């Protein structure tokens, strides 16, 4: 590495692999290889389908799809197609490779305990770290484990049973399960909508009760202010009662009228009671004559 830091050109780093179902673990390994040196040029070798099927096994993606996936990774400067399984001196010289980047776990294949052993002995090997929890084998294991789920999903999306290699009986079973799942989803949606409706009703009820309490307190306050012991209605009633009493019982006039400018005079005597007494008819002629004579005598006396 000390010699690599003294050259003027970019350090040519090589990383190889199958890169089936390209994922974040692949991208992280390439990122480490790209950033090993401040100025580097990353070459990525991708093995062909024939070589991969011979030494490792069947792939999900074909070689063209794998080449294209690597070409779109931002850390990759160049993709080498149909890369060799074991690196030779001629291959390293042809591509002017300075270092080879790969994880440090011994990779046993093609009758060798570690295909990178001679690279490590030559001092050209630079280790990278694997990303735990993600690999092509992990992804394939998930699909195999949940095969029924993915088969049902693809049937629902329009794939045929023949394309999925699903038997007639399994196809009917999967389609029936899809219908059951749809019904469950509908029931779940109805329950959720019902809960939302109930929550809205409770919120509205709470608001209505709160507003009713506020209006009730306001109404009671106004009622007490108007009809309470010291309310406006009592004061108004007392004022009107006082006015009515004054109207019904006015002040008495003075007992003696003023006498200024008038001469004193004798007050007339009250009439004699005999003037208002009804005379009774005489009971006999003698009595009548006696009455008349007495009246004439009285007149003479007055004269």
């Amino acid at each position: 590495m000390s010699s690599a830091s003294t050259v003027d050109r970019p350090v040519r780093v090589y990383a190889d692999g199958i890169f089936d179902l390209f994922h974040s673990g692949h991208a992280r390994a390439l990122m480490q290889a790209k950033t090993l040196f401040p100025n580097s040029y990353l070459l990525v070798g991708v093995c062909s389908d024939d070589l991969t099927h011979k030494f490792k096994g069947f792939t999900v993606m074909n070689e063209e799809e794998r080449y294209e996936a690597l070409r779109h990774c931002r850390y990759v400067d160049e993709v080498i197609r149909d890369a060799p399984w074991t690196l030779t001196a001629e291959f390293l010289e042809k591509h002017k490779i300075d270092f080879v980047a790969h994880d440090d776990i011994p990779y046993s294949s093609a009758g060798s305990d570690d295909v990178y052993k001679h690279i490590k002995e030559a001092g050209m090997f630079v280790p990278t770290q694997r990303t735990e929890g993600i690999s092509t084998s992990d992804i394939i294991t998930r699909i195999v484990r949940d095969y029924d789920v993915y088969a049902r999903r693809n049937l629902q999306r329009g794939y045929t049973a023949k394309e999925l290699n699903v038997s007639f009986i399994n196809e009917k079973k999967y389609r029936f399960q899809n219908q059951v799942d749809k019904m469950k989803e509908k029931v779940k949606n109805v329950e959720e909508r019902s809960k939302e409706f109930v929550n809205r009703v409770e919120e509205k009820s709470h608001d209505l009760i709160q507003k009713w309490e506020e209006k009730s307190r306001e109404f009671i306050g106004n009622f007490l202010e108007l009809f309470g012991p010291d309310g406006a209605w009592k004061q108004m009633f007392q004022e009107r009662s006082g006015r009515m009493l004054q109207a019904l019982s006015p002040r008495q006039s003075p007992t003696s009228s003023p006498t200024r400018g008038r001469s004193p005079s004798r007050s007339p005597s009250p009439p004699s009671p005999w003037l208002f007494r009804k005379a009774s008819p005489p009971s006999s002629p003698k009595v009548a004559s006696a009455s008349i004579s007495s009246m004439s005598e009285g007149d003479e006396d007055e004269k």
Side-chain angles (χ1 to χ4, degrees), residues 194-260:
S194 300
K195 289 180 181 179
E196 292 178 359
F197 176 76
V198 171
N199 291 334
R200 288 198 299 269
V201 170
E202 289 180 352
E203 292 177 359
K204 292 290 185 181
S205 301
H206 180 73
D207 293 340
L208 289 174
I209 291 173
Q210 187 175 4
K211 290 180 180 179
W212 184 84
E213 291 178 349
E214 293 176 357
K215 293 295 182 182
S216 298
R217 287 193 293 268
E218 182 180 356
F219 175 79
I220 292 172
N222 294 336
F223 182 85
L224 293 176
E225 184 179 356
L226 185 62
F227 297 102
D230 298 326
W233 178 261
K234 182 177 180 181
Q235 296 178 0
M236 181 177 65
F237 179 76
Q238 290 177 349
E239 292 177 358
R240 292 190 176 183
S241 299
R243 293 175 183 175
M244 292 178 64
L245 290 175
Q246 291 179 1
L248 294 175
S249 302
R251 294 180 181 178
Q252 294 181 355
S253 57
T255 55
S256 60
S257 58
T259 56
R260 184 179 298 176

Side-chain angles (χ1 to χ4, degrees), residues 140-153:
I140 294 175
T141 300
R142 297 176 197 175
I143 296 173
V144 173
R145 181 189 61 199
D146 300 324
Y147 170 77
D148 289 352
V149 175
Y150 293 115
R152 288 166 51 192
R153 183 190 68 174

Side-chain angles (χ1 to χ4, degrees), residues 87-107:
L87 299 178
T88 63
E90 292 79 12
F91 181 82
L92 297 174
E93 182 65 26
K94 176 183 176 180
H95 296 283
K96 297 180 175 58
I97 296 171
D98 297 313
F99 294 94
V100 176
H102 200 275
D103 62 79
D104 199 18
I105 301 173
Y107 193 80

Side-chain angles (χ1 to χ4, degrees), residues 15-184:
D16 60 356
I18 309 303
F19 301 105
D20 191 20
L21 298 175
F22 188 81
H23 52 73
S24 62
H26 293 142
R28 287 178 177 274
L30 297 176
M31 177 188 68
Q32 295 175 55
K34 176 66 176 177
T35 57
L36 286 171
F37 305 99
N39 185 15
S40 63
Y41 184 86
L42 181 60
L43 301 94
V44 179
V46 182
C47 300
S48 65
D49 287 346
D50 292 339
L51 202 60
T52 304
H53 297 168
K54 179 181 178 181
F55 291 106
K56 189 171 184 178
F58 189 74
T59 58
V60 177
M61 300 169 65
N62 60 45
E63 60 185 77
E64 293 296 333
E65 292 169 337
R66 293 184 285 118
Y67 298 151
E68 188 68 12
L70 266 298
R71 193 173 68 85
H72 290 282
C73 180
R74 63 177 178 171
Y75 305 114
V76 178
D77 296 307
E78 182 180 344
V79 176
I80 299 177
R81 302 161 65 96
D82 194 12
W85 198 260
T86 303
L87 299 178
T88 63
E90 292 79 12
F91 181 82
L92 297 174
E93 182 65 26
K94 176 183 176 180
H95 296 283
K96 297 180 175 58
I97 296 171
D98 297 313
F99 294 94
V100 176
H102 200 275
D103 62 79
D104 199 18
I105 301 173
Y107 193 80
S108 58
S109 181
S112 174
D113 294 336
D114 189 0
V115 296
Y116 297 102
K117 182 178 180 180
H118 62 292
I119 303 296
K120 294 175 181 178
E121 292 174 350
M124 298 176 61
F125 187 83
V126 182
T128 57
Q129 299 296 322
R130 293 176 64 90
T131 302
E132 296 297 332
I134 182 66
S135 67
T136 301
S137 298
D138 291 336
I139 296 174
I140 294 175
T141 300
R142 297 176 197 175
I143 296 173
V144 173
R145 181 189 61 199
D146 300 324
Y147 170 77
D148 289 352
V149 175
Y150 293 115
R152 288 166 51 192
R153 183 190 68 174
N154 286 356
L155 281 173
Q156 191 173 3
R157 292 184 176 182
Y159 288 88
T160 64
K162 184 178 180 180
E163 290 173 329
L164 297 173
N165 195 25
V166 173
S167 66
F168 176 81
I169 295 176
N170 285 336
E171 178 189 5
K172 298 304 179 184
K173 180 182 72 174
Y174 294 152
R175 294 192 183 280
F176 176 74
Q177 289 174 343
N178 286 337
Q179 294 297 326
V180 172
D181 289 345
K182 287 182 179 179
M183 292 299 298
K184 289 181 179 179

